[in-house]
Amino acid sequence: MIDWDALDAANAPLGAFVDWDRHATGGTGPLAGVTIGIKSNIAVKGLPWTGGMGTRRDIIADRDAAIVARLRAAGAVILGTLNMHEAALGATTDNFFYGRTHNPHRHGFTPGGSSGGSGAAVAAGLCDMALGTDTLGSIRIPAAYCGIWGLKPTFGAVSDDGLVHLGTAFDCIGPLARDLDMLARVWAVMAPGDASDAPFERLLTLADIEQVPIQPGVEAGYRRALGAIDLPTQTLAVGDTLSAVRMAGLVDSVKELIGALGAARDGPLVSDELKFVMTAVGALPPAPAVIAHTRAALIAALGEDAVLVMPTAPQAAFPHGERAPVTQADFTSLASIAGLPALSLPAGVDGDGLPVSVQLVARPHSEARLIALARRIEASIHGYAPPNS
């Protein structure tokens, strides 16, 4: 039986869940009894399907998204929907319409975004795992700030049926979990047949990583993870700057959002923050050459046998109300632009006790291999640190 009163009480100071399905029940199968929260841009039958937007606050999903239906069929208990950054365009989850979500490691701090409710709910133990979505880092950044595991799958590996898109060229639905066993268990249901966990033979690092300022605690976590991987190391030169890669993906996604909103973009159900971003970024020209160059460089460098390791975000979580660093997605954008799988994993805490994280990136459909490598890294560095609360 689900103790809804206890969940309400635990969720109240966090603001992670925005709507519950109080009739939720599980079934039989490989996920029997597993409780799952769903980011509110993914359809859950009978619940508001908002995408974090005021323009969609009265839309109720009349069916489950394909991946939600798959999880239900495997016996999972779908508890409800989770808060997110408005329109999935941002990484703080301080939502004008649905409230502020707090980081379980430090109240008043961001859990990241745009899947901030997913990261916070999992880290706080409100659910066993959660679904998030990732356009340019929106699963991995919350996983990093909340100190958990988050997987952005290969583009197209998980059906996007029932998803309110931000950028159709990059959007992926993926899982967040507090341990790798749960992540692997859920991934086996989400993408059956992805079973190869052959070890990698080469390690790639970014040749120009210093172009992004990295906090000392993040740098230390990154070095710990590198020290746990005993492979021949090579450097990867992307060609374009990391900020240029991020902006290329951002411009494409913002222009798509502007088209989807139409005249509503200027109305009262769009926040001033989102209007500002759409105006500023939407005026910039697209950069298809940057996207093409980045994709080609990454795929060529990775080949069949290499893994790219880099920080997930260059900083740890920061207080709500502070200006968000523009560099949050500089590292995560690379895998998104190239359509590659990327796994964010805990790498310890910084000097202030906040989680830091690294990410692993490999060729398409290498998710099981990434999980296997993450197990070895975690066994060496013991990077996971539960919230004090």
Side-chain angles (χ1 to χ4, degrees):
M1 292 290 292
I2 298 169
D3 187 340
W4 292 108
D5 289 339
L7 283 175
D8 281 332
N11 184 61
L14 285 176
F17 277 90
V18 288
D19 287 289
W20 301 109
D21 179 2
R22 296 185 186 272
H23 302 290
T25 58
T28 59
L31 299 183
V34 173
T35 57
I36 299 180
I38 308 294
K39 187 176 178 179
S40 60
N41 59 350
I42 303 170
V44 177
K45 185 177 181 179
L47 296 184
W49 184 25
T50 67
M53 293 184 282
T55 56
R56 296 180 58 89
R57 61 186 178 186
D58 295 325
I59 297 177
I60 305 298
D62 62 2
R63 63 181 179 88
D64 284 335
I67 190 59
V68 174
R70 179 183 286 272
L71 296 173
R72 281 197 205 274
V77 183
I78 307 300
L79 292 178
T81 53
L82 295 154
N83 200 19
M84 57 181 286
H85 204 101
E86 184 182 6
L89 188 58
T92 63
T93 313
D94 193 0
N95 191 302
F96 180 80
F97 300 99
Y98 304 103
R100 174 178 284 181
T101 299
H102 296 272
N103 192 313
H105 287 265
R106 190 72 49 84
H107 191 81
F109 278 55
T110 176
S114 61
S115 308
S118 302
V122 169
L126 298 181
C127 51
D128 295 321
M129 60 81 56
L131 288 186
T133 65
D134 194 306
T135 305
L136 298 172
S138 288
I139 288 172
R140 290 162 286 160
I141 293 170
Y145 289 177
C146 293
I148 58 174
W149 282 262
L151 176 64
K152 184 204 88 69
T154 304
F155 180 75
V158 175
S159 171
D160 61 0
D161 168 76
L163 172 63
V164 181
H165 279 284
L166 171 59
T168 52
F170 312 120
D171 289 342
C172 295
I173 298 174
L176 299 93
R178 275 199 297 176
D179 65 74
L180 277 168
D181 286 340
M182 179 59 68
L183 191 79
R185 184 177 169 189
V186 171
W187 180 246
V189 171
M190 294 179 68
D194 176 29
S196 173
D197 59 358
F200 295 103
E201 298 177 12
R202 294 181 295 127
L203 168 64
L204 298 181
T205 60
L206 291 176
D208 48 1
I209 193 170
E210 70 281 350
Q211 67 182 262
V212 180
I214 302 174
Q215 289 179 351
V218 175
E219 174 76 18
Y222 171 58
R223 296 298 169 189
R224 282 193 293 272
L226 289 179
I229 305 172
D230 184 19
L231 291 173
T233 303
Q234 300 170 342
T235 57
L236 164 65
V238 175
D240 297 289
T241 66
L242 298 179
S243 63
V245 173
R246 167 177 51 82
M247 285 304 300
L250 183 62
V251 168
D252 275 13
S253 300
V254 167
K255 288 182 181 293
E256 184 172 336
L257 176 63
I258 290 171
L261 285 173
R265 65 170 289 198
D266 298 317
L269 296 181
V270 174
S271 72
D272 289 342
E273 176 197 17
L274 183 55
K275 288 175 182 175
F276 174 80
V277 172
M278 289 191 292
T279 298
V281 178
L284 300 175
V290 172
I291 293 174
H293 292 160
T294 302
R295 182 178 292 126
L298 281 169
I299 291 175
L302 287 166
E304 298 288 328
D305 62 347
V307 60
L308 170 63
V309 182
M310 53 188 165
T312 303
Q315 62 282 122
F318 49 89
H320 276 302
E322 283 192 3
R323 182 169 181 161
V326 296
T327 58
Q328 285 183 97
D330 274 9
F331 294 128
T332 54
S333 293
L334 288 173
S336 297
I337 293 296
L340 301 173
L343 175 61
S344 176
L345 63 143
V349 297
D350 67 8
D352 198 30
L354 292 169
V356 298
S357 174
V358 296
Q359 62 177 322
L360 314 175
V361 180
R363 68 180 300 275
H365 306 294
S366 295
E367 287 85 351
R369 300 174 74 186
L370 294 177
I371 292 170
L373 178 58
R375 287 188 192 281
R376 293 195 289 275
I377 296 172
E378 171 60 12
S380 174
I381 70 173
H382 305 290
Y384 173 68
N388 291 331
S389 58

